[in-house]
Amino acid sequence: MAEERRWYTGMFSTEDWWALWIGIFFVFLGLIAAATQIDLTGWIVKFGNWVDPVTDKAVFGFHAAHSSLMSPVASLIVSYIVFTIATAIGAYAMKWNLRDYLIAWTIIFVLTTIAYIIGQYAYISAPSTKWEKLGIDWGLQLGGAYYIIALIIGLAIGNFAPQNFKEFMHKAARPEWFIKIAIVCLGAKLGLKAIEATGFAMHLLFAGVCATIAAYLLFWPLAYTTARKVFKLSREWSACLASGISICGVSAAIATAGAIRARPIVPVMISALIVVFAVIELIVLPGVLVSIPFWFNEPIAAGASLGLTIKTDGADAAAGAILDELMRAKAAAMGIYWDEGWILASAIMTKIWIDMFIGVWAFVLAVVWVYHIERKPGEKVDKMEIWFRFPKFVIGYFIAMFTIMGLGLGNVISFENLEFGLVPVEGALRKFFFMLTFTSIGIVTDFRALKQEGLGRLAVAYAFILAVIIIPLGWFIAWLFHHGMMPPTVSP
Amino acid sequence: MVEERNLLEEMEVEPWEPIETKLVRGTLIAGIISMIVLAVLVHVFVLSHY
């Protein structure tokens, strides 16, 4: 299976590795800034609520993360140049068509910026706690509206643009890549938070891994049996569908297809369903969770439930970000101020543990298929498959988290200095890559896929398993392992 | 799409084999045991603090 591969194979040629390199590059830039007090990250463009298009500090609400460093427009231009160079190096190394990538990337960057500006209009998204400061006396308080606007713009392209343009945009619309870069930067955020709340971060880590192990071991056999017995699907379809819906979406479906030697078209068709359903869940689940009092009283468990039930990294992180905003806005209206990012961290934590099990599960299935189902004498399954299937960006997430925690808790760099260098990375840069993810998810999601002949039966099976097994069981397990955990509170 | 439609329409559904029962039952039992044991651990070491 992996005769000609080495442990380092793909290090400079896969999206997964390049998410790690780019994410770690920005995190270490922040660490150097923290250690030297040279402002290496203050140029990153940051978007905030706005009423007047131009003020002393910002233009349409955006400005440099350290606003004294440069003007808002210069910050936007420098951010565009640096993000473009960083991702273009990756695109070049992965042998993408660089010219097409740069054009499509630029369009996505501009659309994302527009969505961000519109969504940050104070009357749309400013929480009531900011109204006085912004000089307004009413607002819709739609926290996270900018994410939905970016998604709608992307979906408009993905579903209504001419086929040629849509296909062209796919050259830079890489939601999984963008979100993995953002998740590495989120590791920096969790590292910073853990310095102040070490116990809570470690509890979240432990509860997350335990919930994940229990969840996927229950999801997979139930999904597989339902696909085989109820929907009468063959083994290759059932195994890929069960892995996709139980473990980690597209990557798991592809890994399983490789492990059981399914035909290439099988994971391709299942992946189309996974992406479409993940977007539906992203739109529906945060609103549902926040409106159910039970889940509003269990915000960390609600976040974890997203990680267990939404099957792409991009959609899970995106839904986590929306849930974080919605939950905090609702709590703030009741006079409770939860620290930003913990509900999102909970959603990401369960998801990345699930991601890490892809390799192990692909290995188990390969062993079962080779030795028991296909029964090929003399053939062996290479244990290195586990490493090859391991999501490498997760390494970046933990390196960022534990390095920052270690430096902070060991007093090697003061907390204030760490904040100086890293807040622009874990805040402004991470959120911009989240936004790029939303725009890109929309672009690559074509709801017409559900209408395609033949896919209907699979879609019904997927929807049934999701609604009857994955979501109810995922909700129960998320509650079982996280109930009672609350985000730390902050002053308004 | 014709190829994809044919793939699904012409799908040959193999009979359920004992190894599938073994795989499903083994995973399910491992899942239930893991859920109980890990839930107890999480309750004792994590959730009791909240």
Side-chain angles (χ1 to χ4, degrees), chain A residues 203 224 228 263 265 454, chain B residues 7-8 14 17 20 43 50:
Chain A
H203 287 166
Y224 181 81
R228 288 279 281 146
R263 288 162 296 171
I265 192 69
Chain B
L7 265 175
L8 281 158
E14 314 89 338
E17 287 199 21
E20 291 176 275
H43 274 256
Y50 298 90

Side-chain angles (χ1 to χ4, degrees), chain A residues 70-292:
Chain A
M70 61 179 71
S71 73
V73 176
S75 160
L76 184 64
I77 293 170
V78 172
S79 296
Y80 167 73
I81 293 169
V82 177
F83 295 169
T84 303
I85 292 171
T87 58
I89 290 171
Y92 178 76
M94 289 185 278
K95 296 187 168 54
W96 297 353
N97 181 322
L98 199 55
R99 181 185 155 277
D100 289 354
Y101 173 79
L102 287 173
I103 297 170
W105 154 265
T106 302
I107 296 171
I108 291 171
F109 187 97
V110 171
L111 292 174
T112 302
T113 302
I114 292 169
Y116 218 163
I117 289 171
I118 297 171
Q120 288 283 17
Y121 188 45
Y123 288 101
I124 296 177
S125 59
S128 56
T129 47
K130 286 189 181 174
W131 286 358
E132 194 179 338
K133 192 178 165 192
L134 288 159
I136 62 175
D137 53 12
W138 71 276
L140 299 172
Q141 296 193 78
L142 300 174
Y146 34 87
Y147 292 134
I148 298 298
I149 294 169
L151 183 67
I152 290 169
I153 292 174
L155 284 172
I157 295 172
N159 289 271
F160 303 112
Q163 191 64 23
N164 287 349
F165 180 67
K166 204 164 64 180
E167 281 172 13
F168 179 76
M169 291 304 293
H170 282 199
K171 310 230 165 143
R174 304 281 177 164
E176 294 295 304
W177 193 33
F178 297 147
I179 202 63
K180 285 173 183 175
I181 294 171
I183 289 174
V184 173
C185 298
L186 190 73
K189 185 180 183 73
L190 201 59
L192 277 179
K193 284 180 172 298
I195 294 169
E196 290 185 314
T198 314
F200 189 72
M202 292 303 111
H203 287 166
L204 202 56
L205 204 78
F206 184 59
V209 69
C210 292
T212 303
I213 292 171
Y216 91 88
L217 284 174
L218 293 172
F219 286 164
W220 199 91
L222 294 173
Y224 181 81
T225 308
T226 308
R228 288 279 281 146
K229 301 253 185 188
V230 178
F231 292 94
K232 309 290 180 202
L233 298 178
S234 67
R235 273 193 214 115
E236 65 172 354
W237 286 99
S238 302
C240 293
L241 184 71
S243 292
I245 204 167
S246 308
I247 311 175
C248 179
V250 174
S251 346
I254 294 168
T256 298
I260 67 166
R261 315 280 171 84
R263 288 162 296 171
I265 192 69
V266 175
V268 168
M269 288 180 72
I270 291 172
S271 297
L273 281 181
I274 289 168
V275 171
V276 169
F277 276 99
V279 172
I280 295 171
E281 288 182 274
L282 146 68
I283 295 167
V284 173
L285 287 182
V288 168
L289 289 170
V290 84
S291 62
I292 298 175

Side-chain angles (χ1 to χ4, degrees), chain B residues 11-45:
Chain B
M11 181 195 302
E12 282 181 28
V13 183
E14 314 89 338
W16 181 271
E17 287 199 21
I19 181 65
E20 291 176 275
T21 307
K22 215 170 163 183
L23 176 66
V24 164
R25 198 166 49 195
T27 316
L28 207 53
I29 291 169
I32 293 167
I33 293 172
S34 305
M35 187 174 72
I36 295 167
V37 172
L38 295 173
V40 170
L41 287 175
V42 167
H43 274 256
V44 171
F45 294 108

